[in-house]
């Protein structure tokens, strides 16, 4: 039979799904895939339940229900001072993943180069490749994950169509600085490029690190596709409600991609997310504040066990370097042993690299109940002790 498309054929199932399956198989605590173990606000969930029963449950408008598009525009103004026309500049998608696919399919032509910053979130590469784009990678490296502006500058060519950034950045928990974003904006302008901005962790930043959308930078209002996700903002990752903000000239073709990918997103979930976006400031501060406490707890415990804990300024994740412990094997091998022998699932950082991956770092997810984080670190302590590596 003729071959199926090589971008997807023979590709491994994502590391998140694999680790979650292994966690279930071994009754392990799952600090791998990024999802909270407590569902988001009750009023949002109740509103979704009410809207489901009240109906209608038929196709909502393709761009999204007006309440949610208005709420996304209002949130852009409230959090970032962005003036957004909800009718022409906002579209609702089935998760940020769909938003990324729509944006990439709409903006990229075969042969266009797309700059990706590595370590990179898993769907970026296949989506760019499936669009016929040519990925060009620029790496940020631990421990500070600083953007090397010279390397970024060198990555631009006359064929560059877009740069794709994830800010705050999964997996390395980096929040891009104003200076770094200023350089990305400058290079996007001088090279006449678009910027696809995956900002799903926009509200999950800590210690005074503030999320700045690239869209707010000089000359970037018309060049950026800004993507958010209710999954992260309201601890409802299974809902898969995403939102795009982009100027009409970009949103128009992106909406055309959307109409052939999912066309719409469940209307009751959209209405409930509109309620969420209008929540008072205390909700947003509370979300980041609670996560910061969890980050501190897990980071301190892991440091005490002997891991070298890397800085974490945002997201759900903390990364550790395993080198000081003297564990044998690659990050992937260590994660496989850890889930089986220690009963704790994590994610090897090498999964976020295309090639020449570092193999000494592991990502732990900390958006879990305090008791779960404690049990996980107790299990790790016992495991390491058994191996004669600590305690
Ligand atoms: N981008 C990044 C960086 C992510 O970590 C995730 C996963 N949560 C997504 C996009 C996908 O978001 P969604 O679940 O809304 O599709
Ligand atoms: N974004 C989540 C993570 O990084 C995973 C989402 C997924 O499994 N597709 O863990």
């Amino acid at each position: 039979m003729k071959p199926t498309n090589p971008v997807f054929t023979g590709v491994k199932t994502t590391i998140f799904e694999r680790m979650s399956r292994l966690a279930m198989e071994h009754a392990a605590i799952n600090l791998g895939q990024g999802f909270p173990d407590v569902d988001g606000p009750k009023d949002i969930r109740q509103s979704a339940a009410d809207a489901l029963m009240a109906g209608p449950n038929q196709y909502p408008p393709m761009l999204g229900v007006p309440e949610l598009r208005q709420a996304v525009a209002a949130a852009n103004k409230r959090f970032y001072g962005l003036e957004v026309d909800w009718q022409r500049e906002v579209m609702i998608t089935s998760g940020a993943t769909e938003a990324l696919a729509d944006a990439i399919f709409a903006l990229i032509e075969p042969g266009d180069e797309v700059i990706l910053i590595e370590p990179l979130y898993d769907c970026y590469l296949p989506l760019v490749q499936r669009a016929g784009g040519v990925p060009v990678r620029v790496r940020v490296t631990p421990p500070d994950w600083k953007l090397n502006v010279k390397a970024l500058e060198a990555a631009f060519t006359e064929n560059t169509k877009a740069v794709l950034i994830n800010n705050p950045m999964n997996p390395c928990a980096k929040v891009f600085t104003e200076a770094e974003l200023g350089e990305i904006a400058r290079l996007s302008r001088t090279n006449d490029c678009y910027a696809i901005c995956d900002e799903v962790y926009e509200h999950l930043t800590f210690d005074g690190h503030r999320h700045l959308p690239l869209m707010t930078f000089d000359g970037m209002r018309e060049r950026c596709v800004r993507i958010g996700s209710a999954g992260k903002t309201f601890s409802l990752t299974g809902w898969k409600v995403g939102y795009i903000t982009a100027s009409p000239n970009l949103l128009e073709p992106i909406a055309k991609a959307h109409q052939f990918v999912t066309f719409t997103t469940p209307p009751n979930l959209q209405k409930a997310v509109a309620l969420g976006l209008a929540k008072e400031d205390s909700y947003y501060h509370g979300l980041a504040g609670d996560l910061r406490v969890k980050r501190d707890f897990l980071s301190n415990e892991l440091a005490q066990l002997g891991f070298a804990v890397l800085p974490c300024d945002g997201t759900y994740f903390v990364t550790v370097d395993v080198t000081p412990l003297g564990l044998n094997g690659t990050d992937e091998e260590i994660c496989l042993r850890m889930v089986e022998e220690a009963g704790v699932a994590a994610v090897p950082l090498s999964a976020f690299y295309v090639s020449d991956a570092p193999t000494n770092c592991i990502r732990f997810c900390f958006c879990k109940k305090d008791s779960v984080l404690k049990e996980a670190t107790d299990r790790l302590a016992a495991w390491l002790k058994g191996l004669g590596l600590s305690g």
Side-chain angles (χ1 to χ4, degrees):
M1 284 203 283
K2 289 180 180 165
T4 52
N5 191 290
V7 172
F8 298 114
T9 308
V11 166
K12 280 190 193 163
T13 301
T14 79
I15 190 69
F16 312 118
E17 173 78 13
R18 277 191 282 144
M19 289 315 302
S20 284
R21 269 190 223 159
L22 283 172
M24 268 194 265
E25 219 173 287
H26 296 287
I29 294 178
N30 191 354
L31 305 187
Q33 192 175 31
F35 63 89
D37 59 357
V38 174
D39 278 348
K42 195 165 174 208
D43 55 350
I44 301 181
R45 288 183 283 130
Q46 187 62 54
S47 151
D50 294 345
L52 183 94
M53 293 317 292
N57 286 286
Q58 309 310 325
Y59 294 130
M62 179 180 103
L63 292 181
V65 302
E67 297 98 299
L68 181 53
R69 283 150 68 204
Q70 286 160 0
V72 170
N76 271 302
K77 170 82 177 156
R78 168 179 165 199
F79 294 113
Y80 311 116
L82 284 165
E83 295 288 347
V84 171
D85 176 349
W86 71 269
Q87 304 204 61
R88 298 170 69 222
E89 298 189 306
V90 176
M91 185 173 83
I92 309 310
T93 58
S94 293
T97 310
E98 196 230 332
L100 285 158
D102 296 344
I104 290 168
F105 294 158
L107 303 186
I108 305 307
E109 292 179 80
D112 284 344
E113 290 173 10
V114 182
I115 298 176
L116 305 175
I117 301 182
E118 201 175 32
L120 46 94
Y121 183 58
D122 66 344
C123 69
Y124 298 168
L125 188 80
L127 289 175
V128 167
Q129 288 174 328
R130 194 62 194 88
V134 180
V136 176
R137 287 170 287 134
V138 174
R139 205 172 262 207
V140 291
T141 50
D144 57 7
W145 309 103
K146 240 170 102 173
L147 182 69
N148 180 337
V149 177
K150 285 222 160 60
L152 180 66
E153 194 151 13
F156 280 87
T157 75
E158 59 180 18
N159 297 321
T160 309
K161 177 65 84 59
V163 48
L164 198 173
I165 70 162
N166 176 212
N167 181 32
M169 188 169 169
N170 177 10
C172 55
K174 167 188 174 65
V175 177
F176 283 75
T177 64
E178 188 169 355
E180 289 174 327
L181 292 166
E183 294 292 348
I184 298 172
R186 176 180 67 81
L187 291 166
S188 303
R189 283 192 311 267
T190 51
N191 291 283
D192 186 19
C193 285
Y194 299 117
I196 302 171
C197 304
D198 177 349
E199 301 182 358
V200 300
Y201 299 102
E202 62 187 315
H203 293 293
L204 312 185
T205 63
F206 317 126
D207 312 325
H209 288 273
R210 220 164 60 80
H211 173 67
L212 299 170
L214 189 62
M215 186 176 257
T216 60
F217 283 68
D218 264 2
M220 295 309 286
R221 179 66 176 81
E222 271 73 44
R223 293 187 180 280
C224 284
V225 178
R226 193 174 105 70
I227 297 173
S229 169
K232 307 292 147 35
T233 301
F234 303 111
S235 307
L236 295 163
T237 60
W239 279 21
K240 299 292 283 188
V241 177
Y243 18 90
I244 297 185
T245 305
S247 60
N249 61 313
L250 297 184
L251 197 69
E252 266 171 37
I254 294 171
K256 300 298 156 50
H258 167 70
Q259 73 181 346
F260 299 129
V261 176
T262 60
F263 182 62
T264 57
T265 298
N268 65 316
L269 301 183
Q270 293 195 49
K271 287 179 193 154
V273 170
L275 185 91
L277 283 173
K279 274 191 171 298
E280 60 286 0
D281 288 350
S282 59
Y283 167 75
Y284 290 91
H285 295 149
L287 175 71
D290 289 352
L291 280 171
R292 185 186 54 78
V293 173
K294 293 178 186 300
R295 175 205 63 177
D296 288 347
F297 176 79
L298 186 63
S299 300
N300 290 337
E301 294 284 314
L302 291 172
Q304 272 183 24
L305 292 177
F307 293 99
V309 179
L310 300 178
C312 165
D313 301 332
T315 77
Y316 282 158
F317 310 110
V318 64
T319 294
V320 300
D321 181 343
V322 298
T323 315
L325 276 170
L327 281 161
N328 290 324
T330 62
D331 57 345
E332 189 165 352
E333 289 161 355
I334 292 169
C335 283
L336 290 176
R337 281 173 56 202
M338 206 188 273
V339 69
E340 231 181 280
E341 298 169 12
V344 177
V347 166
L349 214 73
S350 57
F352 295 83
Y353 292 80
V354 180
S355 60
D356 306 319
T359 55
N360 56 322
C361 290
I362 287 178
R363 188 195 82 171
F364 289 94
C365 174
F366 54 76
C367 54
K368 305 291 174 185
K369 291 188 208 93
D370 298 348
S371 57
V372 171
L373 294 176
K374 174 84 177 80
E375 170 67 19
T377 49
D378 285 350
R379 287 186 184 191
L380 287 175
W383 179 58
L384 291 170
K385 197 167 175 190
L387 295 173
L389 293 175
S390 89

